Amino acid sequence: MNITLKDGSVKEYGEAKSVYEIAKDISEGLARVACAGEIDGQIVDLRTEINKDCALNIITVNDAEGLQVIRHTASHILAQAVKRLRPNAKVAIGPAIEDGFYYDFDTEPFSREDLDALEAEMKKIIKEGHELKRFTLPREDAIARMREKNEPYKVELIEDLPEGEEISFYDQGEFVDLCAGPHLMHTKGVKAFKLTSSSMAYWRGDSDKARLQRIYGTAYNKKEDLAEHLERMEDAKRRDHNRLGREMKLFTTVDVIGQGLPLFTPRGTKMLMKLQRWIEDLEDNEWGYIRTKTPLMAKSDLYKISGHWDHYKDGMFVLGDEEKDKEVFALRPMTCPFQYYVYKNEQHSYRELPYRMSETSTLFRCEDSGEMHGLTRVRQFTISEGHLVLRPDQAEEELKRCFDLSYFVLSTLGLEKEVTFRLSKWDPNNRKKYLGDEDYWNRTQEALREVLREKGVPFVEADGEAAFYGPKIDIQAKNVYGKEDTMITIQLDCAIAESFDLYYIDQNGEKVRPYIIHRTSLGCYERTLAWLIEKYAGKFPTWLCPEQVRVLPISDKYEAYANEVLQELRKNGIDATVDNRSEKIGFKIREARLDKLPYMLVVGQQEEADRTVSVRSRFAGDEGAKPIQQFVDEITREIRTKEIRPTVEE
């Protein structure tokens, strides 16, 4: 048989060989770092035998796929350690994930001390050097074996496998686990690992199923790589908006109000107001939108016309029972059907299009409790939502304008380099989910694809991520832990106008169905605030800060002058306060730094006499004394232009 290697060379063998044997034949060094093989594009175990011509790539510890194999093996070592320390624990699943691995167990919760003890036991298992041996069993024998070991979750997994599926296990010492692999050859191959946290998780992600305990960890081939990762994780914890936002008193949550329903403090509210006023002025004054205000709920009749009742009811808060109540209402999960009736309120000519409607919309979505986190996924949120009713010949230009508006918003916030772009398409294998036929989806998807191409941004395509009525350009971003969310979306809809009998009068006096663009310019305000907290670690651009300046009198004698400075700042629209506590000036300065303020103005005898302020900033440190008007002119220009100045003082 002929084995074509990655470099194009060919190895000839007269008998079957395992991937590992071929790696060893190439070189002893390659065999030592080999983790898995890739046969004709499919990742396989090193133990896999090859008995026919194929293309083979040896996956090593230096490859991303190799790192996944290391982490998958580490998850099995974790499970073995848990079974040693908690023999009655039931094992569930333990995959490798993007930054590490996890394993779920049916047992009592784990403390940090428990994780430390498990790490010590894992080190013992690694040192013992157990060989991981793969074997297979027929379906009934596999079920019987897991029942004998009293592992109900493994039994369920096997029972859900298709008839005739090969059921494989890995044996490492006294521990045997159901697994498709691939794995390292022995436990000593795991060089550097760390258990990072534990949490509750539902079996198979279903809140109606068992509550399990999940342990997260990570593993690398080198201790240096692990140390770098842990340092990044520590930075992520420092930037985590869920922690930092509460520390900065921007928002909080209360159990009796409910999960996913944040309360914004005056500071957080101030930031949201600044974002909202900016977006509304931008859209209305510079981008040609008209503003609407529509109800927070509607009868089920509206959602039945739009199709959301059939496609999205499980994600809505429904008020009433269709079998008992004459009228059933639901809190709105979107604004589009409401704005359609604003458009329908008057008849429109082709000359009036595009008709661009925008609304600062409060929406409600019945998110699963396990999915919610801080401000990134909540049950009530506010969005910069807009719908454009347009002629078909206007679609290309308006799609580009929507993209340009979103990119302008991102650039102003300093976030344009933080995003990726995705063309979200329909799933042709699940046609019942979508309106329109194959030709409709091919046409609309190509229209969005062309926009992305013309704008010159790299993008990926994803099947099954479209809305039921049309494809989307999704602008994606990751939080500090690497979880990706959609921040901004632009959707093309050429189908829903029929359902709502939307039309315009063309130049021949005929009624014509318009196209609709669903879009956001900023997206969800709450999620954007979370993003900004993490991006800037709380050190926001001056224009966004809830407190932009703090005036610090050296002593009580200069409080009157400090208040005079304060009034001048506020008169010019600057968010400022005075720290008039009877504390030493050094203490006040340290407090202001901890509060991540852009500017501190120290005032004392000399400043009062000269009508100046001593400026300290997190951009340049001590900027010296300046006349009050000079400082006002400088900061108002910075706020007006939304300048992003780099922080140099820690």
Side-chain angles (χ1 to χ4, degrees):
M1 60 182 178
N2 294 327
I3 308 298
T4 304
L5 302 178
K6 186 178 181 180
D7 63 1
S9 62
V10 177
K11 285 277 189 179
E12 294 185 20
Y13 298 100
E15 58 185 5
K17 294 278 187 182
S18 71
V19 174
Y20 179 74
E21 288 172 331
I22 295 173
K24 194 171 183 180
D25 183 50
I26 296 171
S27 81
E28 290 284 348
L30 180 61
R32 281 195 296 272
V33 297
C35 289
E38 184 181 12
I39 299 176
D40 293 334
Q42 181 181 358
I43 304 295
V44 299
D45 202 280
L46 285 174
R47 304 154 188 80
T48 302
E49 280 207 343
I50 301 175
N51 55 18
K52 62 179 181 179
D53 295 354
C54 68
L56 174 65
N57 177 30
I58 305 297
I59 304 296
T60 75
V61 296
N62 299 314
D63 297 318
E65 299 88 346
L67 195 54
Q68 292 297 87
V69 175
I70 292 171
R71 290 168 174 170
H72 195 182
T73 303
S75 78
H76 277 226
I77 296 171
L78 166 61
Q80 185 175 4
V82 169
K83 292 295 285 186
R84 283 186 178 184
L85 300 186
R86 295 188 181 184
N88 294 325
K90 305 293 184 291
V91 293
I93 58 173
I97 54 178
E98 184 175 355
D99 284 328
F101 61 88
Y102 70 80
Y103 213 116
D104 291 344
F105 304 93
D106 191 343
T107 185
E108 298 78 28
F110 295 95
S111 65
R112 182 65 246 182
E113 291 73 21
D114 293 327
L115 299 189
D116 292 341
L118 287 168
E119 283 185 1
E121 193 63 35
M122 289 174 71
K123 289 176 182 177
K124 289 182 185 178
I125 294 168
I126 291 169
K127 190 174 181 180
E128 289 164 7
H130 298 288
E131 183 182 352
L132 280 84
K133 302 173 185 176
R134 185 179 187 274
F135 65 93
T136 61
L137 289 175
R139 183 188 187 86
E140 293 307 315
D141 290 351
I143 292 173
R145 178 157 190 162
M146 289 296 101
R147 280 184 176 153
E148 180 184 350
K149 288 183 170 291
N150 194 20
E151 297 290 359
Y153 300 102
K154 299 297 184 182
V155 170
E156 183 178 328
L157 290 171
I158 297 169
E159 289 177 338
D160 286 350
L161 292 173
E163 292 286 345
E165 186 87 0
E166 181 182 70
I167 300 171
S168 60
F169 295 83
Y170 280 82
D171 180 325
Q172 57 188 65
E174 80 284 1
F175 180 68
V176 176
D177 203 355
L178 170 74
C179 188
H183 281 287
L184 299 176
M185 300 291 281
H186 51 78
T187 58
K188 283 188 176 180
V190 177
K191 307 291 187 184
F193 73 93
K194 180 71 177 176
L195 300 183
T196 53
S197 64
S198 62
S199 66
M200 187 276 291
Y202 292 112
W203 172 232
R204 294 188 155 183
D206 187 340
S207 59
D208 294 328
K209 295 186 183 295
R211 293 163 65 97
L212 305 177
Q213 302 303 318
R214 175 172 295 178
I215 296 177
Y216 285 98
T218 192
Y220 284 85
N221 184 51
K222 297 178 182 177
K223 290 181 180 180
E224 296 83 358
D225 293 339
L226 175 63
E228 287 181 12
H229 171 80
L230 295 177
E231 187 176 335
R232 288 195 301 271
M233 291 297 291
E234 284 303 310
D235 183 59
K237 289 178 184 177
R238 288 191 291 269
R239 291 175 178 270
D240 184 348
H241 83 276
N242 209 15
R243 181 192 64 81
L244 188 54
R246 295 169 196 271
E247 285 183 3
M248 295 183 69
K249 298 182 175 61
L250 300 178
F251 72 94
T252 187
T253 52
V254 180
D255 287 344
V256 295
I257 292 176
Q259 191 178 7
L261 299 170
L263 297 173
F264 289 94
T265 64
R267 295 174 65 84
T269 302
K270 174 76 76 171
M271 291 190 70
L272 291 174
M273 287 171 58
K274 290 184 178 188
L275 287 169
Q276 181 179 329
R277 288 169 178 168
W278 169 51
I279 291 296
E280 289 179 351
D281 288 345
L282 184 68
E283 291 178 340
D284 299 354
N285 299 332
E286 299 181 37
W287 290 81
Y289 284 82
I290 56 172
R291 194 145 297 277
T292 67
K293 183 174 177 57
T294 56
L296 301 181
M297 67 175 76
K299 294 194 296 184
S300 59
D301 306 51
L302 178 69
Y303 305 114
K304 289 174 182 176
I305 295 171
S306 69
H308 290 94
W309 201 253
D310 292 331
H311 292 89
Y312 200 74
K313 184 180 177 184
D314 290 344
M316 298 166 65
F317 288 103
V318 178
L319 310 176
D321 187 324
E322 286 189 286
E323 295 183 2
K324 298 178 182 178
D325 300 320
K326 185 176 179 181
E327 291 184 328
V328 174
F329 287 78
L331 299 178
R332 65 179 183 186
M334 76 301 293
T335 314
C336 43
F338 297 85
Q339 288 195 325
Y340 298 157
Y341 282 97
V342 173
Y343 175 83
K344 281 170 64 72
N345 188 53
E346 298 179 73
Q347 183 168 277
H348 298 276
S349 158
Y350 72 98
R351 296 179 184 274
E352 299 173 60
L353 303 188
Y355 191 83
R356 307 183 188 100
M357 296 173 284
S358 188
E359 182 166 333
T360 303
S361 304
T362 299
L363 305 180
F364 306 85
R365 295 186 183 172
C366 190
E367 298 283 1
D368 183 86
S369 60
E371 291 294 316
M372 287 182 288
H373 173 70
L375 302 179
T376 56
R377 195 168 291 275
V378 291
R379 286 174 170 157
Q380 176 184 309
F381 57 94
T382 303
I383 194 168
S384 61
E385 194 162 17
H387 297 90
L388 293 76
V389 184
L390 54 142
R391 305 191 309 264
D393 65 287
Q394 296 171 323
E396 180 181 354
E397 181 61 28
E398 288 302 311
L399 285 168
K400 293 174 186 175
R401 289 184 86 256
C402 289
F403 184 96
D404 290 342
L405 172 57
S406 295
Y407 201 83
F408 174 79
V409 169
L410 290 171
S411 300
T412 303
L413 293 172
L415 300 171
E416 76 278 10
K417 295 180 181 177
E418 311 285 326
V419 299
T420 57
F421 299 89
R422 182 178 76 191
L423 174 57
S424 295
K425 305 187 296 183
W426 78 321
D427 180 359
N429 297 316
N430 186 16
R431 298 194 178 200
K432 290 183 180 179
K433 179 181 174 182
Y434 303 97
L435 300 178
D437 57 17
E438 185 172 356
D439 178 65
Y440 167 79
W441 284 93
N442 288 339
R443 285 189 296 104
T444 52
Q445 287 169 178
E446 182 58 29
L448 294 184
R449 189 180 289 115
E450 187 56 35
V451 170
L452 290 167
R453 285 173 179 158
E454 182 168 324
K455 294 301 176 183
V457 295
F459 64 95
V460 298
E461 301 191 11
D463 291 338
E465 295 293 336
F468 67 86
Y469 47 76
K472 304 183 291 176
I473 293 173
D474 284 328
I475 301 178
Q476 307 285 108
K478 292 182 178 180
N479 69 9
V480 288
Y481 297 109
K483 185 181 182 300
E484 187 173 85
D485 283 301
T486 299
M487 307 307 296
I488 297 172
T489 186
I490 302 167
Q491 307 170 11
L492 178 59
D493 178 356
C494 308
I496 206 75
E498 185 73 30
S499 301
F500 283 89
D501 190 27
L502 301 179
Y503 65 87
Y504 63 91
I505 304 300
D506 72 4
Q507 57 267 47
N508 299 317
E510 302 291 332
K511 292 182 177 180
V512 180
R513 297 291 181 211
Y515 286 1
I516 296 167
I517 295 174
H518 309 239
R519 49 100 275 183
T520 56
S521 53
L522 175 77
C524 169
Y525 284 93
E526 290 83 354
R527 186 174 289 178
T528 299
L529 179 56
W531 192 11
L532 290 167
I533 293 170
E534 295 186 349
K535 157 73 176 177
Y536 292 105
K539 297 177 180 178
F540 308 108
T542 300
W543 75 274
L544 266 177
C545 288
E547 184 182 1
Q548 295 163 330
V549 179
R550 188 176 296 173
V551 186
L552 310 178
I554 289 176
S555 69
D556 295 347
K557 290 190 296 184
Y558 308 106
E559 189 174 326
Y561 180 60
N563 285 322
E564 187 180 333
V565 172
L566 176 68
Q567 293 308 312
E568 186 65 24
L569 295 171
R570 287 183 171 176
K571 186 175 71 176
N572 285 276
I574 300 162
D575 289 312
T577 62
V578 169
D579 185 347
N580 53 19
R581 294 175 296 170
S582 298
E583 300 284 356
K584 292 183 177 180
I585 191 64
F587 178 83
K588 292 181 179 182
I589 290 172
R590 285 193 298 274
E591 287 274 291
R593 284 176 178 165
L594 289 173
D595 288 342
K596 308 181 191 303
L597 298 186
Y599 292 97
M600 298 166 269
L601 303 182
V602 179
V603 295
Q605 182 179 8
Q606 192 65 49
E607 287 80 15
E608 183 176 28
D610 296 342
R611 313 302 291 173
T612 62
V613 290
S614 289
V615 182
R616 290 175 179 264
S617 74
R618 57 173 157 86
F619 314 114
D622 188 348
E623 297 188 20
K626 296 181 181 181
I628 297 173
Q629 190 58 50
Q630 179 184 341
F631 176 76
V632 168
D633 290 344
E634 290 174 354
I635 191 173
T636 52
R637 182 202 59 78
E638 182 183 339
I639 292 169
R640 184 179 66 255
T641 61
K642 298 178 174 57
E643 181 183 357
I644 300 174
R645 297 182 66 187
T647 295
V648 296
E649 181 184 340
E650 295 296 329

